[in-house]
Amino acid sequence: MPPVSAEVKTSPLQKANFCSRLFVWWLNPLFKIGHKRKLEPDDMYSVLPEDHSQRLGEELQGYWDQEVKRAQKDTQEPSLMKAIVKCYWKSYLIWGMFTFLEVKDFHTVHCFLVYVPQY
């Protein structure tokens, strides 16, 4: 997909520190724009190099080829789900753990706010 305008904004995620990445603070400027007005295509950031569909597609294709070979050897149908899980399990596991901790902490704080008697 070609860029909407000649000037494409670089993603702040490229320079974001650990805390900014963990709590998604790097998106705050975009949220502020979206709060003031409707977002337009020119407001969007460029895609990170590691997230380009060409690279991700080639990586998944490699795992799919391995799955097809395995299925032929075992005389089974190849499973796209297995190929996807083998390809992306690490990133989903890591971000899933962070999301779990964040949600758990949110619910813990919420319980204290709701159930602690008010004086």
Side-chain angles (χ1 to χ4, degrees), residues 38-90:
K38 186 177 179 180
L39 290 175
E40 298 174 2
D42 289 337
D43 297 326
M44 299 297 123
Y45 302 121
S46 63
V47 176
L48 294 176
E50 60 265 20
D51 292 335
H52 281 176
S53 61
Q54 178 72 30
R55 189 189 75 74
L56 295 174
E58 288 172 357
E59 186 178 356
L60 182 57
Q61 181 67 48
Y63 282 97
W64 175 247
D65 293 340
Q66 289 175 8
E67 176 62 21
V68 169
K69 288 177 186 174
R70 184 205 57 80
Q72 287 174 344
K73 186 172 70 173
D74 297 342
T75 61
Q76 296 177 354
E77 287 289 317
S79 169
L80 181 58
M81 180 60 80
K82 286 183 182 180
I84 291 172
V85 169
K86 287 179 183 177
C87 188
Y88 301 116
W89 72 272
K90 291 177 189 172

Side-chain angles (χ1 to χ4, degrees), residues 1 9 13 15 17 20 25 31 45-46 50 53 55 67-68 71-72 79 81 86 91 100 108-109 112:
M1 176 185 231
K9 296 180 182 179
L13 182 57
K15 297 180 182 176
N17 62 31
S20 182
W25 291 335
F31 291 153
Y45 302 121
S46 63
E50 60 265 20
S53 61
R55 189 189 75 74
E67 176 62 21
V68 169
Q72 287 174 344
S79 169
M81 180 60 80
K86 287 179 183 177
S91 59
F100 172 76
T108 302
V109 168
F112 281 115

